[in-house]
Amino acid sequence: MCSVLLAELWGLLHGLRMAWDHGFRHLQVGVDNKCIVHLLERAHPPANENAILVQSIRELLARDWIVHVEHVYREANNVADFLASYSLTTPIGLHVLLSPPPAIFGLLCNDTYGIAHSHLVLH
């Protein structure tokens, strides 16, 4: 079992590696976890179980390319929200989708046109 933060850090690391390996040199990366943005912006991240992973991401970001990592609200990124739920139906590990699942096409359109969905939070 791993934390949400740890899973998202691994996803960012693998995504950056794939982008680099496929020759992408200008990226805008949206993450829905503000903690990730803060960890990457801090001069000295805290020494904890995520430190080595954060350092690996920083080393990738320091390569000769332009990468902007920014926070986006989950409601504004329907595709990422869907894929997070979809990942719960797959075995643990890295899964590279060669084509999007059919259920994702409408969400891609929504994200492209900036159509957000809302969540009701009860306290």
Side-chain angles (χ1 to χ4, degrees):
M1 179 71 89
C2 70
S3 71
V4 171
L5 175 62
L6 186 59
E8 291 183 12
L9 286 169
W10 276 111
L12 178 58
L13 179 67
H14 286 302
L16 290 171
R17 283 181 180 161
M18 285 190 293
W20 177 266
D21 291 346
H22 284 88
F24 294 96
R25 296 299 180 258
H26 293 91
L27 294 177
Q28 182 174 343
V29 180
V31 295
D32 65 2
N33 190 327
K34 282 186 182 180
C35 188
I36 290 176
V37 176
H38 293 306
L39 284 171
L40 296 175
E41 289 175 345
R42 291 178 73 169
H44 302 287
N48 60 28
E49 66 275 1
N50 301 321
I52 294 173
L53 197 49
V54 170
Q55 183 58 36
S56 296
I57 293 169
R58 286 176 164 203
E59 289 171 5
L60 271 172
L61 293 173
R63 290 182 178 180
D64 188 23
W65 60 342
I66 298 169
V67 182
H68 298 284
V69 179
E70 62 186 8
H71 175 258
V72 294
Y73 289 97
R74 182 173 62 132
E75 294 81 6
N77 194 342
N78 297 306
V79 172
D81 193 36
F82 172 86
L83 289 172
S85 297
Y86 179 79
S87 72
L88 299 174
T89 67
T90 63
I92 292 176
L94 176 64
H95 299 272
V96 177
L97 303 176
L98 300 178
S99 61
I104 218 168
F105 290 108
L107 299 175
L108 282 168
C109 290
N110 289 349
D111 284 351
T112 301
Y113 294 113
I115 300 170
H117 67 278
S118 60
H119 290 273
L120 177 61
V121 178
L122 301 174
H123 293 280

Short mmCIF file of all heavy atoms in Angstrom, two decimals, residues 59-121:
data_model
loop_
_atom_site.label_atom_id
_atom_site.label_comp_id
_atom_site.label_asym_id
_atom_site.label_seq_id
_atom_site.Cartn_x
_atom_site.Cartn_y
_atom_site.Cartn_z
N GLU A 59 16.20 16.16 -10.65
CA GLU A 59 17.28 15.91 -11.60
C GLU A 59 16.75 15.86 -13.03
O GLU A 59 17.39 16.38 -13.95
CB GLU A 59 18.01 14.62 -11.24
CG GLU A 59 18.84 14.75 -9.97
CD GLU A 59 19.39 13.43 -9.47
OE1 GLU A 59 19.22 12.39 -10.15
OE2 GLU A 59 19.98 13.43 -8.37
N LEU A 60 15.59 15.26 -13.22
CA LEU A 60 14.98 15.25 -14.55
C LEU A 60 14.61 16.67 -14.99
O LEU A 60 14.84 17.04 -16.14
CB LEU A 60 13.72 14.38 -14.55
CG LEU A 60 13.88 12.91 -14.85
CD1 LEU A 60 12.58 12.17 -14.61
CD2 LEU A 60 14.33 12.71 -16.28
N LEU A 61 14.04 17.44 -14.08
CA LEU A 61 13.63 18.80 -14.42
C LEU A 61 14.83 19.69 -14.76
O LEU A 61 14.68 20.67 -15.50
CB LEU A 61 12.84 19.42 -13.26
CG LEU A 61 11.48 18.78 -12.97
CD1 LEU A 61 10.88 19.36 -11.70
CD2 LEU A 61 10.54 18.95 -14.15
N ALA A 62 16.01 19.35 -14.25
CA ALA A 62 17.21 20.16 -14.47
C ALA A 62 17.86 19.88 -15.84
O ALA A 62 18.80 20.57 -16.22
CB ALA A 62 18.23 19.89 -13.36
N ARG A 63 17.34 18.92 -16.57
CA ARG A 63 17.90 18.63 -17.89
C ARG A 63 17.64 19.81 -18.84
O ARG A 63 16.93 20.75 -18.51
CB ARG A 63 17.28 17.35 -18.45
CG ARG A 63 17.73 16.12 -17.70
CD ARG A 63 17.14 14.88 -18.30
NE ARG A 63 17.61 13.68 -17.62
CZ ARG A 63 17.25 12.46 -17.95
NH1 ARG A 63 16.43 12.25 -18.97
NH2 ARG A 63 17.72 11.43 -17.27
N ASP A 64 18.20 19.70 -20.03
CA ASP A 64 18.10 20.77 -21.02
C ASP A 64 16.74 20.73 -21.73
O ASP A 64 16.63 20.29 -22.87
CB ASP A 64 19.25 20.64 -22.03
CG ASP A 64 19.31 21.82 -22.97
OD1 ASP A 64 18.81 22.91 -22.63
OD2 ASP A 64 19.86 21.65 -24.08
N TRP A 65 15.72 21.18 -21.00
CA TRP A 65 14.38 21.27 -21.56
C TRP A 65 13.58 22.26 -20.73
O TRP A 65 14.05 22.72 -19.69
CB TRP A 65 13.71 19.91 -21.66
CG TRP A 65 13.50 19.11 -20.39
CD1 TRP A 65 14.11 19.28 -19.18
CD2 TRP A 65 12.62 18.01 -20.23
NE1 TRP A 65 13.67 18.34 -18.28
CE2 TRP A 65 12.75 17.55 -18.90
CE3 TRP A 65 11.73 17.36 -21.07
CZ2 TRP A 65 12.03 16.46 -18.39
CZ3 TRP A 65 11.03 16.28 -20.55
CH2 TRP A 65 11.17 15.84 -19.25
N ILE A 66 12.41 22.58 -21.19
CA ILE A 66 11.55 23.53 -20.49
C ILE A 66 10.33 22.77 -19.97
O ILE A 66 9.56 22.22 -20.76
CB ILE A 66 11.11 24.67 -21.42
CG1 ILE A 66 12.34 25.44 -21.90
CG2 ILE A 66 10.12 25.59 -20.72
CD1 ILE A 66 12.05 26.42 -23.02
N VAL A 67 10.21 22.72 -18.66
CA VAL A 67 9.09 22.02 -18.03
C VAL A 67 8.49 22.94 -16.97
O VAL A 67 9.21 23.43 -16.10
CB VAL A 67 9.52 20.70 -17.36
CG1 VAL A 67 8.32 20.00 -16.75
CG2 VAL A 67 10.23 19.80 -18.35
N HIS A 68 7.20 23.18 -17.07
CA HIS A 68 6.48 23.95 -16.06
C HIS A 68 5.54 22.99 -15.33
O HIS A 68 4.67 22.39 -15.96
CB HIS A 68 5.66 25.08 -16.71
CG HIS A 68 6.49 26.08 -17.43
ND1 HIS A 68 7.23 27.03 -16.78
CD2 HIS A 68 6.72 26.26 -18.75
CE1 HIS A 68 7.87 27.76 -17.65
NE2 HIS A 68 7.59 27.31 -18.86
N VAL A 69 5.77 22.85 -14.04
CA VAL A 69 4.89 22.02 -13.21
C VAL A 69 4.01 22.97 -12.42
O VAL A 69 4.51 23.83 -11.71
CB VAL A 69 5.69 21.11 -12.25
CG1 VAL A 69 4.76 20.27 -11.39
CG2 VAL A 69 6.64 20.21 -13.05
N GLU A 70 2.70 22.82 -12.59
CA GLU A 70 1.78 23.72 -11.92
C GLU A 70 0.61 22.96 -11.32
O GLU A 70 0.29 21.86 -11.75
CB GLU A 70 1.27 24.79 -12.89
CG GLU A 70 0.49 24.20 -14.05
CD GLU A 70 0.11 25.24 -15.10
OE1 GLU A 70 0.57 26.38 -15.00
OE2 GLU A 70 -0.64 24.87 -16.00
N HIS A 71 0.01 23.57 -10.32
CA HIS A 71 -1.16 22.97 -9.69
C HIS A 71 -2.40 23.26 -10.53
O HIS A 71 -2.59 24.37 -11.01
CB HIS A 71 -1.36 23.54 -8.29
CG HIS A 71 -2.62 23.06 -7.65
ND1 HIS A 71 -3.75 23.85 -7.58
CD2 HIS A 71 -2.95 21.86 -7.11
CE1 HIS A 71 -4.71 23.15 -6.98
NE2 HIS A 71 -4.25 21.95 -6.70
N VAL A 72 -3.21 22.24 -10.74
CA VAL A 72 -4.52 22.41 -11.37
C VAL A 72 -5.52 21.68 -10.48
O VAL A 72 -5.21 20.65 -9.89
CB VAL A 72 -4.59 21.84 -12.80
CG1 VAL A 72 -3.71 22.61 -13.75
CG2 VAL A 72 -4.26 20.37 -12.85
N TYR A 73 -6.69 22.24 -10.38
CA TYR A 73 -7.71 21.60 -9.57
C TYR A 73 -8.21 20.34 -10.26
O TYR A 73 -8.34 20.30 -11.48
CB TYR A 73 -8.86 22.57 -9.29
CG TYR A 73 -8.46 23.66 -8.35
CD1 TYR A 73 -8.06 24.90 -8.81
CD2 TYR A 73 -8.43 23.42 -6.97
CE1 TYR A 73 -7.67 25.90 -7.94
CE2 TYR A 73 -8.02 24.42 -6.09
CZ TYR A 73 -7.66 25.66 -6.58
OH TYR A 73 -7.24 26.63 -5.72
N ARG A 74 -8.48 19.35 -9.47
CA ARG A 74 -8.94 18.06 -10.00
C ARG A 74 -10.17 18.23 -10.88
O ARG A 74 -10.33 17.57 -11.90
CB ARG A 74 -9.23 17.12 -8.83
CG ARG A 74 -9.65 15.74 -9.26
CD ARG A 74 -9.75 14.83 -8.08
NE ARG A 74 -10.76 15.30 -7.14
CZ ARG A 74 -11.69 14.53 -6.62
NH1 ARG A 74 -11.74 13.25 -6.93
NH2 ARG A 74 -12.56 15.01 -5.77
N GLU A 75 -11.05 19.12 -10.48
CA GLU A 75 -12.29 19.34 -11.24
C GLU A 75 -12.02 19.89 -12.64
O GLU A 75 -12.86 19.78 -13.53
CB GLU A 75 -13.21 20.30 -10.49
CG GLU A 75 -13.74 19.75 -9.19
CD GLU A 75 -12.76 19.87 -8.02
OE1 GLU A 75 -11.69 20.48 -8.18
OE2 GLU A 75 -13.07 19.33 -6.95
N ALA A 76 -10.85 20.49 -12.84
CA ALA A 76 -10.51 21.05 -14.15
C ALA A 76 -9.75 20.05 -15.01
O ALA A 76 -9.40 20.36 -16.14
CB ALA A 76 -9.68 22.32 -13.96
N ASN A 77 -9.48 18.86 -14.49
CA ASN A 77 -8.74 17.87 -15.25
C ASN A 77 -9.48 16.53 -15.16
O ASN A 77 -9.11 15.63 -14.42
CB ASN A 77 -7.31 17.74 -14.71
CG ASN A 77 -6.42 16.98 -15.66
OD1 ASN A 77 -6.89 16.27 -16.54
ND2 ASN A 77 -5.13 17.12 -15.49
N ASN A 78 -10.55 16.45 -15.92
CA ASN A 78 -11.42 15.27 -15.92
C ASN A 78 -10.67 14.00 -16.31
O ASN A 78 -10.93 12.92 -15.77
CB ASN A 78 -12.60 15.47 -16.86
CG ASN A 78 -13.49 16.61 -16.44
OD1 ASN A 78 -13.95 16.64 -15.32
ND2 ASN A 78 -13.72 17.55 -17.34
N VAL A 79 -9.75 14.12 -17.26
CA VAL A 79 -9.04 12.94 -17.75
C VAL A 79 -8.16 12.35 -16.64
O VAL A 79 -8.16 11.14 -16.41
CB VAL A 79 -8.20 13.29 -19.00
CG1 VAL A 79 -7.31 12.12 -19.39
CG2 VAL A 79 -9.12 13.66 -20.16
N ALA A 80 -7.41 13.20 -15.94
CA ALA A 80 -6.56 12.71 -14.86
C ALA A 80 -7.40 12.08 -13.76
O ALA A 80 -7.03 11.05 -13.19
CB ALA A 80 -5.71 13.85 -14.30
N ASP A 81 -8.54 12.69 -13.45
CA ASP A 81 -9.43 12.16 -12.43
C ASP A 81 -9.94 10.77 -12.85
O ASP A 81 -9.96 9.83 -12.06
CB ASP A 81 -10.60 13.13 -12.21
CG ASP A 81 -11.39 12.82 -10.97
OD1 ASP A 81 -10.79 12.39 -9.96
OD2 ASP A 81 -12.62 13.03 -10.99
N PHE A 82 -10.33 10.63 -14.12
CA PHE A 82 -10.79 9.34 -14.62
C PHE A 82 -9.67 8.30 -14.55
O PHE A 82 -9.87 7.17 -14.11
CB PHE A 82 -11.26 9.47 -16.08
CG PHE A 82 -11.58 8.14 -16.72
CD1 PHE A 82 -12.82 7.57 -16.58
CD2 PHE A 82 -10.60 7.47 -17.44
CE1 PHE A 82 -13.11 6.34 -17.16
CE2 PHE A 82 -10.87 6.24 -18.02
CZ PHE A 82 -12.13 5.67 -17.88
N LEU A 83 -8.47 8.68 -14.99
CA LEU A 83 -7.36 7.73 -15.00
C LEU A 83 -6.96 7.30 -13.59
O LEU A 83 -6.54 6.16 -13.38
CB LEU A 83 -6.16 8.31 -15.75
CG LEU A 83 -6.34 8.42 -17.26
CD1 LEU A 83 -5.18 9.18 -17.89
CD2 LEU A 83 -6.52 7.05 -17.90
N ALA A 84 -7.09 8.21 -12.62
CA ALA A 84 -6.80 7.85 -11.23
C ALA A 84 -7.77 6.76 -10.77
O ALA A 84 -7.37 5.77 -10.14
CB ALA A 84 -6.89 9.07 -10.33
N SER A 85 -9.04 6.92 -11.10
CA SER A 85 -10.04 5.90 -10.75
C SER A 85 -9.81 4.62 -11.54
O SER A 85 -9.91 3.51 -11.01
CB SER A 85 -11.45 6.42 -11.01
OG SER A 85 -11.71 7.52 -10.19
N TYR A 86 -9.48 4.77 -12.81
CA TYR A 86 -9.22 3.62 -13.69
C TYR A 86 -8.04 2.80 -13.16
O TYR A 86 -8.05 1.57 -13.24
CB TYR A 86 -8.92 4.14 -15.10
CG TYR A 86 -8.61 3.08 -16.12
CD1 TYR A 86 -9.63 2.34 -16.71
CD2 TYR A 86 -7.30 2.85 -16.53
CE1 TYR A 86 -9.35 1.39 -17.67
CE2 TYR A 86 -7.01 1.89 -17.49
CZ TYR A 86 -8.04 1.16 -18.06
OH TYR A 86 -7.76 0.21 -19.00
N SER A 87 -7.05 3.47 -12.60
CA SER A 87 -5.86 2.76 -12.11
C SER A 87 -6.21 1.79 -10.98
O SER A 87 -5.48 0.81 -10.76
CB SER A 87 -4.80 3.75 -11.64
OG SER A 87 -5.19 4.37 -10.42
N LEU A 88 -7.30 2.05 -10.29
CA LEU A 88 -7.71 1.15 -9.20
C LEU A 88 -8.18 -0.20 -9.72
O LEU A 88 -8.29 -1.15 -8.95
CB LEU A 88 -8.79 1.81 -8.35
CG LEU A 88 -8.39 3.12 -7.67
CD1 LEU A 88 -9.60 3.74 -6.98
CD2 LEU A 88 -7.25 2.91 -6.70
N THR A 89 -8.46 -0.29 -11.01
CA THR A 89 -8.92 -1.54 -11.61
C THR A 89 -7.78 -2.34 -12.23
O THR A 89 -8.02 -3.39 -12.82
CB THR A 89 -9.99 -1.27 -12.69
OG1 THR A 89 -9.37 -0.59 -13.80
CG2 THR A 89 -11.13 -0.44 -12.15
N THR A 90 -6.55 -1.82 -12.13
CA THR A 90 -5.39 -2.48 -12.74
C THR A 90 -4.43 -2.95 -11.66
O THR A 90 -4.43 -2.43 -10.55
CB THR A 90 -4.66 -1.52 -13.70
OG1 THR A 90 -4.16 -0.42 -12.95
CG2 THR A 90 -5.58 -1.03 -14.80
N PRO A 91 -3.59 -3.92 -11.98
CA PRO A 91 -2.57 -4.35 -11.02
C PRO A 91 -1.60 -3.21 -10.72
O PRO A 91 -1.42 -2.30 -11.54
CB PRO A 91 -1.84 -5.50 -11.73
CG PRO A 91 -2.73 -5.91 -12.84
CD PRO A 91 -3.55 -4.72 -13.21
N ILE A 92 -0.96 -3.24 -9.56
CA ILE A 92 0.01 -2.22 -9.19
C ILE A 92 1.18 -2.26 -10.16
O ILE A 92 1.64 -3.32 -10.56
CB ILE A 92 0.51 -2.45 -7.74
CG1 ILE A 92 -0.63 -2.19 -6.77
CG2 ILE A 92 1.70 -1.56 -7.42
CD1 ILE A 92 -0.29 -2.46 -5.33
N GLY A 93 1.64 -1.10 -10.56
CA GLY A 93 2.78 -1.00 -11.46
C GLY A 93 2.53 0.04 -12.54
O GLY A 93 1.46 0.65 -12.60
N LEU A 94 3.52 0.24 -13.38
CA LEU A 94 3.41 1.20 -14.48
C LEU A 94 2.64 0.58 -15.63
O LEU A 94 2.95 -0.53 -16.06
CB LEU A 94 4.81 1.62 -14.95
CG LEU A 94 4.87 2.54 -16.15
CD1 LEU A 94 4.22 3.89 -15.82
CD2 LEU A 94 6.30 2.73 -16.60
N HIS A 95 1.63 1.29 -16.11
CA HIS A 95 0.85 0.85 -17.25
C HIS A 95 0.86 1.96 -18.29
O HIS A 95 0.43 3.07 -18.02
CB HIS A 95 -0.60 0.54 -16.85
CG HIS A 95 -0.70 -0.55 -15.84
ND1 HIS A 95 -0.78 -1.88 -16.18
CD2 HIS A 95 -0.72 -0.52 -14.49
CE1 HIS A 95 -0.84 -2.61 -15.09
NE2 HIS A 95 -0.80 -1.81 -14.05
N VAL A 96 1.35 1.66 -19.47
CA VAL A 96 1.38 2.62 -20.56
C VAL A 96 0.22 2.28 -21.48
O VAL A 96 0.16 1.18 -22.03
CB VAL A 96 2.72 2.58 -21.32
CG1 VAL A 96 2.71 3.54 -22.49
CG2 VAL A 96 3.88 2.88 -20.37
N LEU A 97 -0.69 3.23 -21.63
CA LEU A 97 -1.85 3.02 -22.50
C LEU A 97 -1.49 3.49 -23.91
O LEU A 97 -1.13 4.65 -24.11
CB LEU A 97 -3.05 3.80 -21.97
CG LEU A 97 -3.48 3.48 -20.54
CD1 LEU A 97 -4.62 4.39 -20.11
CD2 LEU A 97 -3.88 2.02 -20.42
N LEU A 98 -1.56 2.60 -24.86
CA LEU A 98 -1.23 2.97 -26.24
C LEU A 98 -2.37 3.73 -26.91
O LEU A 98 -2.16 4.41 -27.91
CB LEU A 98 -0.87 1.72 -27.04
CG LEU A 98 0.35 0.95 -26.49
CD1 LEU A 98 0.61 -0.30 -27.31
CD2 LEU A 98 1.58 1.85 -26.46
N SER A 99 -3.55 3.61 -26.36
CA SER A 99 -4.68 4.42 -26.83
C SER A 99 -5.57 4.66 -25.61
O SER A 99 -5.59 3.86 -24.67
CB SER A 99 -5.45 3.70 -27.94
OG SER A 99 -5.97 2.47 -27.46
N PRO A 100 -6.31 5.75 -25.61
CA PRO A 100 -7.15 6.05 -24.45
C PRO A 100 -8.31 5.07 -24.33
O PRO A 100 -8.85 4.61 -25.34
CB PRO A 100 -7.66 7.47 -24.72
CG PRO A 100 -7.29 7.81 -26.10
CD PRO A 100 -6.35 6.78 -26.63
N PRO A 101 -8.71 4.76 -23.10
CA PRO A 101 -9.91 3.94 -22.93
C PRO A 101 -11.10 4.65 -23.57
O PRO A 101 -11.17 5.89 -23.56
CB PRO A 101 -10.09 3.86 -21.40
CG PRO A 101 -8.75 4.20 -20.84
CD PRO A 101 -8.11 5.12 -21.83
N PRO A 102 -12.04 3.91 -24.17
CA PRO A 102 -13.16 4.54 -24.87
C PRO A 102 -13.94 5.56 -24.02
O PRO A 102 -14.38 6.58 -24.53
CB PRO A 102 -14.05 3.36 -25.25
CG PRO A 102 -13.13 2.20 -25.32
CD PRO A 102 -12.08 2.45 -24.27
N ALA A 103 -14.06 5.31 -22.75
CA ALA A 103 -14.83 6.21 -21.88
C ALA A 103 -14.18 7.57 -21.70
O ALA A 103 -14.80 8.50 -21.17
CB ALA A 103 -15.02 5.56 -20.51
N ILE A 104 -12.98 7.73 -22.19
CA ILE A 104 -12.23 8.96 -21.93
C ILE A 104 -12.44 10.04 -23.00
O ILE A 104 -12.17 11.21 -22.77
CB ILE A 104 -10.73 8.63 -21.77
CG1 ILE A 104 -10.11 9.48 -20.71
CG2 ILE A 104 -9.98 8.78 -23.04
CD1 ILE A 104 -8.74 9.01 -20.30
N PHE A 105 -12.95 9.68 -24.17
CA PHE A 105 -13.03 10.63 -25.28
C PHE A 105 -13.87 11.86 -24.95
O PHE A 105 -13.49 12.98 -25.26
CB PHE A 105 -13.52 9.94 -26.56
CG PHE A 105 -12.50 9.00 -27.13
CD1 PHE A 105 -12.68 7.63 -27.05
CD2 PHE A 105 -11.35 9.49 -27.71
CE1 PHE A 105 -11.72 6.77 -27.55
CE2 PHE A 105 -10.38 8.64 -28.22
CZ PHE A 105 -10.57 7.26 -28.15
N GLY A 106 -15.02 11.68 -24.33
CA GLY A 106 -15.84 12.82 -23.94
C GLY A 106 -15.14 13.70 -22.92
O GLY A 106 -15.23 14.93 -22.97
N LEU A 107 -14.40 13.08 -22.00
CA LEU A 107 -13.66 13.83 -21.00
C LEU A 107 -12.53 14.64 -21.63
O LEU A 107 -12.24 15.76 -21.20
CB LEU A 107 -13.10 12.89 -19.93
CG LEU A 107 -14.14 12.08 -19.15
CD1 LEU A 107 -13.45 11.10 -18.22
CD2 LEU A 107 -15.06 13.01 -18.38
N LEU A 108 -11.89 14.08 -22.65
CA LEU A 108 -10.85 14.81 -23.37
C LEU A 108 -11.43 16.09 -23.98
O LEU A 108 -10.81 17.16 -23.91
CB LEU A 108 -10.23 13.95 -24.47
CG LEU A 108 -9.22 12.91 -24.03
CD1 LEU A 108 -8.91 11.94 -25.17
CD2 LEU A 108 -7.95 13.56 -23.54
N CYS A 109 -12.61 15.98 -24.55
CA CYS A 109 -13.27 17.17 -25.11
C CYS A 109 -13.57 18.18 -24.02
O CYS A 109 -13.34 19.38 -24.19
CB CYS A 109 -14.55 16.77 -25.84
SG CYS A 109 -14.28 15.88 -27.36
N ASN A 110 -14.08 17.71 -22.88
CA ASN A 110 -14.38 18.61 -21.77
C ASN A 110 -13.13 19.35 -21.31
O ASN A 110 -13.16 20.56 -21.09
CB ASN A 110 -14.97 17.84 -20.58
CG ASN A 110 -16.37 17.35 -20.85
OD1 ASN A 110 -17.01 17.72 -21.83
ND2 ASN A 110 -16.85 16.49 -19.98
N ASP A 111 -12.02 18.63 -21.15
CA ASP A 111 -10.78 19.25 -20.71
C ASP A 111 -10.27 20.25 -21.74
O ASP A 111 -9.80 21.33 -21.41
CB ASP A 111 -9.71 18.20 -20.42
CG ASP A 111 -9.92 17.48 -19.10
OD1 ASP A 111 -10.80 17.91 -18.32
OD2 ASP A 111 -9.20 16.50 -18.85
N THR A 112 -10.40 19.89 -23.02
CA THR A 112 -9.94 20.78 -24.08
C THR A 112 -10.69 22.10 -24.08
O THR A 112 -10.11 23.16 -24.26
CB THR A 112 -10.10 20.09 -25.46
OG1 THR A 112 -9.34 18.89 -25.45
CG2 THR A 112 -9.66 20.99 -26.59
N TYR A 113 -11.99 22.02 -23.82
CA TYR A 113 -12.83 23.22 -23.84
C TYR A 113 -13.00 23.86 -22.47
O TYR A 113 -13.74 24.83 -22.32
CB TYR A 113 -14.19 22.91 -24.46
CG TYR A 113 -14.08 22.54 -25.91
CD1 TYR A 113 -14.38 21.24 -26.34
CD2 TYR A 113 -13.65 23.46 -26.85
CE1 TYR A 113 -14.26 20.89 -27.67
CE2 TYR A 113 -13.52 23.11 -28.19
CZ TYR A 113 -13.82 21.82 -28.58
OH TYR A 113 -13.69 21.48 -29.90
N GLY A 114 -12.30 23.33 -21.46
CA GLY A 114 -12.35 23.92 -20.13
C GLY A 114 -13.64 23.68 -19.38
O GLY A 114 -14.01 24.46 -18.50
N ILE A 115 -14.34 22.60 -19.71
CA ILE A 115 -15.58 22.28 -19.01
C ILE A 115 -15.23 21.47 -17.77
O ILE A 115 -14.71 20.36 -17.87
CB ILE A 115 -16.53 21.48 -19.93
CG1 ILE A 115 -16.88 22.31 -21.17
CG2 ILE A 115 -17.78 21.06 -19.17
CD1 ILE A 115 -17.61 21.53 -22.25
N ALA A 116 -15.49 22.03 -16.61
CA ALA A 116 -15.16 21.38 -15.34
C ALA A 116 -16.39 20.68 -14.78
O ALA A 116 -17.52 21.00 -15.13
CB ALA A 116 -14.63 22.40 -14.34
N HIS A 117 -16.15 19.74 -13.90
CA HIS A 117 -17.25 19.12 -13.15
C HIS A 117 -17.05 19.45 -11.68
O HIS A 117 -15.94 19.74 -11.25
CB HIS A 117 -17.32 17.62 -13.40
CG HIS A 117 -16.16 16.86 -12.84
ND1 HIS A 117 -14.96 16.77 -13.52
CD2 HIS A 117 -16.00 16.16 -11.70
CE1 HIS A 117 -14.12 16.05 -12.82
NE2 HIS A 117 -14.71 15.66 -11.70
N SER A 118 -18.10 19.44 -10.94
CA SER A 118 -17.99 19.80 -9.54
C SER A 118 -18.19 18.59 -8.65
O SER A 118 -18.75 17.58 -9.05
CB SER A 118 -19.02 20.88 -9.19
OG SER A 118 -20.31 20.39 -9.43
N HIS A 119 -17.72 18.71 -7.42
CA HIS A 119 -17.87 17.67 -6.40
C HIS A 119 -18.56 18.29 -5.21
O HIS A 119 -18.29 19.42 -4.83
CB HIS A 119 -16.50 17.14 -5.95
CG HIS A 119 -15.80 16.34 -6.98
ND1 HIS A 119 -16.01 15.00 -7.15
CD2 HIS A 119 -14.88 16.69 -7.92
CE1 HIS A 119 -15.26 14.55 -8.12
NE2 HIS A 119 -14.55 15.56 -8.59
N LEU A 120 -19.45 17.54 -4.62
CA LEU A 120 -20.12 17.97 -3.40
C LEU A 120 -19.33 17.40 -2.23
O LEU A 120 -19.10 16.20 -2.15
CB LEU A 120 -21.55 17.47 -3.36
CG LEU A 120 -22.36 17.79 -2.10
CD1 LEU A 120 -22.49 19.31 -1.92
CD2 LEU A 120 -23.71 17.14 -2.17
N VAL A 121 -18.88 18.28 -1.35
CA VAL A 121 -18.11 17.85 -0.18
C VAL A 121 -18.95 18.08 1.05
O VAL A 121 -19.37 19.21 1.32
CB VAL A 121 -16.77 18.61 -0.09
CG1 VAL A 121 -16.01 18.19 1.16
CG2 VAL A 121 -15.95 18.41 -1.34
#
